[in-house]
Amino acid sequence: MVLAAGRGERMRPLSDVLPKPALPLIEQPVIASGLKLAASAGAERIVLNTWHLADEMEAALADVEIGHETVISREEELMGTAGGIALARDRGLLGERGEILLVNGDGLLNLDLQPLFERMRKSDDLVTLALLPHLDPLRWSRVQLDESGAVSRIARPGAPETGEAPFLYPGVMLLSRTALNVLPNGRGEIPERLWRPALAGKRLGGVVVSGHWREVGTPADYLEAALGRLDGRTVIHPNAVIDRSATVESALIGRDARIGPGAVVDESVVTWGARVARQSRIRRSVLLGPIETTPGEIIANEFRAGRR
């Protein structure tokens, strides 16, 4: 199950137009990474929950080809991360056997999950977390393991204590069928409904996996992710229109975008109907949705969005 229902407050104003997982990254949206990870791990079915801008989130799936059955669990009200899982279970979407792989839909992931499955098979974990060596303990929570591989503590962001070896949770975990079956229905979040009970019973496990993870949580994160994928290239959507006198370098010019005469767009994303007027200058910025610059306007390090 790939979690994609949240409002994405930290991504505003971009998430006022598109959910975080639906934001475009060249040919495919952000969520393609999580869907492909689930598919490569051998999932028989992939469930995606939606709520915020559900139509836009579900439409973004049309750009993702994974060759697996994908079903939607649309929420009439936001159920929270644990509540969304329980609702999908109650709807019969999560099957009746085997573990459930849970993946956050707003990260870029390329992980080897074999150790995660091996840990679940050999232990009595209710929940097993995939972990990475910590990238920035001051920014993200710190997971600590004991000698048996059980989680001993989940600490808030901060400097590691003397002798501590902190690990990072990149948004991927394995949920046992036992834990799924007893998960309460109704609104709730994963830490309180799943992690805390498992931790209290010393049945919250963790295992270090190899690979890559990148958070796409804020507009700045999104721009850096897009520029990283571009790697100096310019990618133009087939229905975008760019005037011959415009200059576009290292940019993503997406769906329905228009770039006017003499405009310059550099290291930026312009998509979903945004229009850059003549002689405008756009530098390291994101323009998303039906917005238009004024002629000659200079925009640098800004994130602008407009609802359709």
Side-chain angles (χ1 to χ4, degrees):
M1 182 169 180
V2 180
L3 304 177
R7 190 184 295 275
E9 294 289 351
R10 292 191 303 135
M11 187 59 79
R12 299 185 70 182
L14 303 185
S15 58
D16 291 335
V17 178
L18 285 175
K20 280 194 298 182
L23 289 169
L25 286 176
I26 309 183
E27 297 90 353
Q28 297 186 322
V30 169
I31 200 169
S33 177
L35 292 171
K36 291 179 178 180
L37 180 68
S40 67
E44 296 177 358
R45 166 189 287 176
I46 300 175
V47 178
L48 180 79
N49 67 330
T50 62
W51 176 74
H52 175 60
L53 300 175
D55 289 341
E56 287 81 356
M57 185 66 256
E58 293 166 22
L61 296 179
D63 294 328
V64 184
E65 295 183 5
I66 57 173
H68 279 59
E69 179 188 9
T70 303
V71 297
I72 302 297
S73 179
R74 185 183 283 212
E75 300 173 10
E76 298 304 318
E77 60 176 316
L78 184 60
M79 299 302 296
T81 49
I85 298 166
L87 179 61
R89 174 203 63 197
D90 295 344
R91 287 172 167 172
L93 301 179
L94 299 181
E96 298 179 353
R97 60 181 179 82
E99 302 87 3
I100 307 300
L101 180 68
L102 297 171
V103 182
N104 290 349
D106 59 357
L108 302 183
L109 302 140
N110 183 12
L111 304 173
D112 177 7
L113 298 182
Q114 190 60 34
L116 185 70
F117 292 102
E118 291 178 358
R119 164 79 192 186
M120 177 65 80
R121 283 196 297 267
K122 295 178 180 178
S123 72
D124 65 347
D125 290 349
L126 291 172
V127 181
T128 306
L129 308 181
L131 301 172
L132 292 170
H134 218 301
L135 304 176
D136 187 352
L138 299 181
R139 181 176 181 184
W140 295 295
S141 296
R142 297 147 27 223
V143 179
Q144 300 173 33
L145 299 177
D146 65 19
E147 293 182 355
S148 71
V151 174
S152 59
R153 182 188 180 203
I154 300 177
R156 293 179 180 275
E161 300 172 357
T162 302
E164 177 187 346
F167 295 102
L168 171 71
Y169 172 64
V172 179
M173 66 180 178
L174 202 57
L175 179 63
S176 70
R177 183 62 54 170
T178 299
L180 177 67
N181 289 341
V182 300
L183 178 64
N185 55 21
R187 291 178 58 108
E189 302 297 333
I190 284 174
E192 291 74 23
R193 293 280 178 88
L194 288 173
W195 293 353
R196 188 171 296 170
L199 184 61
K202 297 184 178 180
R203 297 181 67 185
L204 178 61
V207 62
V208 180
V209 300
S210 60
H212 169 79
W213 169 80
R214 181 171 193 158
E215 184 185 42
V216 185
T218 67
D221 291 335
Y222 168 62
L223 178 59
E224 290 306 314
L227 295 180
R229 289 289 179 91
L230 289 169
D231 193 24
R233 299 173 295 155
T234 291
V235 174
I236 302 170
H237 192 276
N239 72 2
V241 176
I242 302 177
D243 189 88
R244 291 183 178 181
S245 63
T247 300
V248 179
E249 297 180 348
S250 187
L252 173 59
I253 310 300
R255 192 186 308 270
D256 300 322
R258 301 289 186 270
I259 312 297
V264 176
V265 179
D266 181 35
E267 292 190 333
S268 296
V269 176
V270 180
T271 188
W272 271 67
R275 282 160 168 70
V276 177
R278 58 184 175 82
Q279 303 300 322
S280 295
R281 302 289 190 270
I282 313 299
R283 166 72 177 166
R284 293 192 65 84
S285 297
V286 176
L287 305 182
L288 177 69
I291 56 176
E292 184 172 0
T293 69
T294 59
E297 185 175 8
I298 298 175
I299 298 174
N301 302 303
E302 292 189 32
F303 306 98
R304 297 185 182 181
R307 292 292 303 272
R308 291 189 176 188

